[in-house]
Amino acid sequence: MGATTHAVSYEDCTDGSFQVWWWNGRAPAGSGEIGSGGSVTMRASIRWIDASETEQVTRLVGADGASSVTVPDREILKFYGAGVRPKPGSHFWITQRESCTASCVFSHGKADYANGDALQYGDGLPDYTGTATRYGNSYAAAADYYGPVFIGCNGTRVTGVIDGDSREAGVLTSALADTSDNLYGARSEFGRLLLPYMALIDISVPGGTAKEMADPANTPIRDQLAKLAGRRFMGLGVNDIVFQGATSAQVAAWEETRRTRLGLPTTYKTISPVVTSATSNTLYSRANDPARQEENDRRRRISDTYDSAASTESGSTGTFASLSYTSDGTHLTAAGDKAGLATYNVLSKIADTSALNAGYQYASGQAYQSLGLADGWRDQNASLQLLRFYSPEHKITAAELKEDGSSNRHGIFKQIPDAIAGTTQVHSFFAKRLSGARNLYFQLQESDFSALVRVAIDLKSCTQIYASGAVGLMPGKITGVIEQEYCRISIVVTAGSGAAPDPYVFFVMTDAGGDDGYAGDGASSIAIWGYDVR
């Protein structure tokens, strides 16, 4: 099988300590850590962006320098990349190919398919390690993903370990599957809160319990991973109490055993109620729920507890205040997980570093594009290369538009399916200079070739050179430099009731004064990314 894993770099690995670990084993709920059934042989590589914003592909090697690593049952495959130093905030992808004598199980975390994770099965599967090719995804079930259990290096940032159940692992419910919450790929209650501030090692187990984690015989590999972190985040307890009838006192005792053994500063979160379904606001276990509330009261007396349950509970009944916050009665949706974030200041309670910018992202619900949204762009005395340069989302996803040497217009255009009559829309995109000192204008015209809007932008100052258009035009809005010298341009266009559908979109290079008819030099170019229509 082969797999690709998406991740974000939190800081520069200056000492050559970059490592990736896979565990040849599994930990079913209540069964502790057990084997996979056989040995595994693996090869791995990383596709990353260096400090100069250039894409690199590096093969990872074992401790002996070999490109293949083999381990028996219940062991960790460890790979190293001494020269790997991804630019902080950039995205990277780990590619692995493995062969197993029986079965392979590595990570219990849900794959982030929406951000590029993939799992592909098959005899004779090509070996893409050492190349820029990612595996295609052929499997998207809730709990089956062969990803690393650790990606990291020696660093100064806080690293956290999440010690939880399926609410943190992001599995067992289709409502959580394949849903990218943000550019970090976070899903869990703790993950959504913490990932902008610190890297995390997730040792959560679907169905995990505080009782199971208290027994060191059940958790030797997870203990080893936990001790790589500087702080622990514990969300266990719902399975012990609601589904197995444990008391708050029992959960507290099991947790103290676990905390003492690991010796890590620990942050807790409260336990949200469990209802019978996402549409029925009825407690799953009314007899056991008082113990959950008692445990929450105990945790709320600890100063830095993250009170995630506060946004979902309603009075003394413990039922959900909003059914939209639960996806299946047990797991929260992204809205539910985020509802309590405003009441919890991460920096003042548990972190000593500022949030990491992992790239620009449009607001929730907006499907941004990277100019590679579909085929069909036509060039005019210019060339377009997609996925060419570092973009505001910290990936190699920006397109390059380069002029030729003719005396003419230099740009690209495309007809888009859009019923624009009687609408007001916002057309947004990012652009910057690459080679030379060219500027850009954006034009939207009806399918009968009558212009709706034309806005020219100075890509050095991110200011408007001029704007023109038909009745209903609202002036283009330049929001300024966002990052990496990109200008974010948002143009509000109002079309009349008689406007023809399926308009044409033009991105055209200009000279210093905004003139689009000039003699090209065959070298000047600009980058464009993120064209979006709302």
Side-chain angles (χ1 to χ4, degrees):
M1 70 189 74
T4 299
T5 300
H6 162 261
V8 172
S9 173
Y10 278 77
E11 65 181 276
D12 191 1
C13 297
T14 59
D15 65 352
S17 62
F18 185 85
Q19 298 177 41
V20 187
W21 297 5
W22 285 266
W23 167 31
N24 183 24
R26 56 195 177 102
S31 301
E33 294 175 5
I34 62 178
S36 66
S39 64
V40 57
T41 298
M42 181 185 291
R43 295 165 65 88
S45 63
I46 178 173
R47 184 182 181 188
W48 56 287
I49 297 167
D50 65 21
S52 68
E53 301 179 3
T54 301
E55 189 172 77
Q56 305 283 350
V57 176
T58 302
R59 183 171 296 283
L60 302 175
V61 298
D64 59 357
S67 60
S68 293
V69 175
T70 301
V71 298
D73 209 5
R74 279 180 275 192
E75 293 289 340
I76 295 179
L77 297 109
K78 295 185 178 181
F79 283 84
Y80 303 84
V84 175
R85 296 177 59 179
K87 181 180 176 69
S90 70
H91 298 242
F92 62 88
W93 290 265
I94 306 290
T95 297
Q96 67 191 86
R97 185 187 186 279
E98 61 269 357
S99 299
C100 309
T101 58
S103 63
C104 301
V105 181
F106 300 115
S107 176
H108 289 276
K110 184 68 182 71
D112 185 15
Y113 297 118
N115 264 334
D117 284 2
L119 174 61
Q120 187 172 343
Y121 293 108
D123 291 336
L125 199 66
D127 183 1
Y128 292 142
T129 60
T131 75
T133 303
R134 303 181 199 174
Y135 283 104
N137 191 55
S138 61
Y139 192 78
D144 197 350
Y145 182 62
Y146 300 106
V149 293
F150 173 77
I151 305 172
C153 64
N154 294 328
T156 59
R157 260 186 185 267
V158 172
T159 298
V161 61
I162 294 182
D163 208 348
D165 52 32
S166 59
R167 296 179 187 233
E168 307 305 329
V171 298
L172 297 182
T173 168
S174 60
L176 296 185
D178 302 339
T179 303
S180 175
D181 177 68
N182 57 34
L183 290 177
Y184 301 88
R187 285 184 193 77
S188 69
E189 292 181 41
F190 265 136
R192 287 189 175 99
L193 174 71
L194 299 170
L195 275 175
Y197 300 93
M198 66 183 72
L200 297 173
I201 304 168
D202 193 345
I203 60 173
S204 301
V205 175
T209 64
K211 179 180 180 181
E212 177 187 356
M213 298 298 270
D215 184 351
N218 285 328
T219 63
I221 301 296
R222 284 172 288 176
D223 283 3
Q224 183 178 348
L225 291 166
K227 290 178 180 179
L228 294 172
R231 178 174 285 273
R232 174 172 166 256
F233 299 92
M234 185 275 199
L236 293 167
V238 64
N239 293 308
D240 300 89
I241 293 172
V242 174
F243 297 103
Q244 298 181 15
T247 66
S248 171
Q250 286 176 312
V251 170
W254 291 325
E255 159 53 19
E256 183 59 21
T257 298
R258 172 82 167 150
R259 188 196 64 79
T260 301
R261 183 170 79 251
L262 292 177
L264 293 171
T266 298
T267 295
Y268 301 93
K269 69 178 178 65
T270 52
I271 306 170
S272 296
V274 178
V275 291
T276 52
S277 75
T279 58
S280 178
N281 200 10
T282 305
L283 286 173
Y284 174 85
S285 177
R286 186 168 294 277
N288 294 341
D289 198 66
R292 179 193 64 82
Q293 296 183 48
E294 181 182 351
E295 177 62 12
N296 279 355
D297 290 340
R298 185 186 70 83
R299 294 185 186 186
R300 284 170 177 141
R301 291 193 290 270
I302 302 173
S303 61
D304 64 350
T305 291
Y306 172 43
D307 194 359
S308 58
S311 61
T312 58
E313 290 179 335
S314 178
S316 61
T317 62
T319 53
F320 278 95
S322 173
L323 288 177
S324 64
Y325 285 169
T326 180
S327 59
D328 63 351
T330 299
H331 302 84
L332 297 186
T333 63
D337 284 346
K338 287 183 171 180
L341 297 191
T343 64
Y344 193 89
N345 188 313
V346 176
L347 290 177
S348 67
K349 294 181 179 293
I350 57 180
D352 60 0
T353 185
S354 61
L356 176 80
N357 181 3
Y360 177 82
Q361 185 178 33
Y362 283 99
S364 177
Q366 295 190 336
Y368 65 85
Q369 310 290 346
S370 63
L371 214 62
L373 54 143
D375 296 328
W377 290 95
R378 298 174 61 184
D379 58 74
Q380 295 178 313
N381 307 301
S383 62
L384 174 69
Q385 294 192 60
L386 302 175
L387 307 179
R388 177 75 172 174
F389 282 95
Y390 197 64
S391 77
E393 66 174 343
H394 297 195
K395 303 176 185 178
I396 303 292
T397 48
E400 179 190 27
L401 179 59
K402 179 186 290 187
E403 65 189 38
D404 66 11
S406 66
S407 296
N408 214 315
R409 302 176 79 207
H410 310 278
I412 56 172
F413 69 96
K414 178 180 179 177
Q415 189 172 22
I416 61 173
D418 192 0
I420 61 175
T423 66
T424 297
Q425 296 180 325
V426 179
H427 293 250
S428 299
F429 58 93
F430 295 78
K432 76 169 182 176
R433 292 175 176 175
L434 290 173
S435 174
R438 301 305 187 198
N439 295 317
L440 171 71
Y441 85 68
F442 169 86
Q443 178 175 314
L444 184 71
Q445 68 179 39
E446 295 182 46
S447 53
D448 62 2
F449 304 108
S450 56
L452 281 169
V453 63
R454 189 179 186 212
V455 179
I457 302 104
D458 185 316
L459 293 182
K460 181 178 181 180
S461 61
C462 295
T463 57
Q464 181 176 295
I465 300 174
Y466 65 82
S468 64
V471 176
L473 165 70
M474 296 176 66
K477 180 183 180 183
I478 311 301
T479 59
V481 178
I482 180 169
E483 193 167 351
Q484 306 302 324
E485 300 178 348
Y486 276 91
C487 302
R488 182 188 178 192
I489 298 99
S490 295
I491 302 168
V492 184
V493 182
T494 298
S497 60
D502 304 334
Y504 286 90
V505 177
F506 289 79
F507 290 95
V508 181
M509 298 173 67
T510 80
D511 62 14
D515 186 357
D516 63 311
Y518 63 90
D521 59 17
S524 292
S525 62
I526 62 174
I528 311 172
W529 176 83
Y531 176 55
D532 180 82
V533 183
R534 294 291 151 186

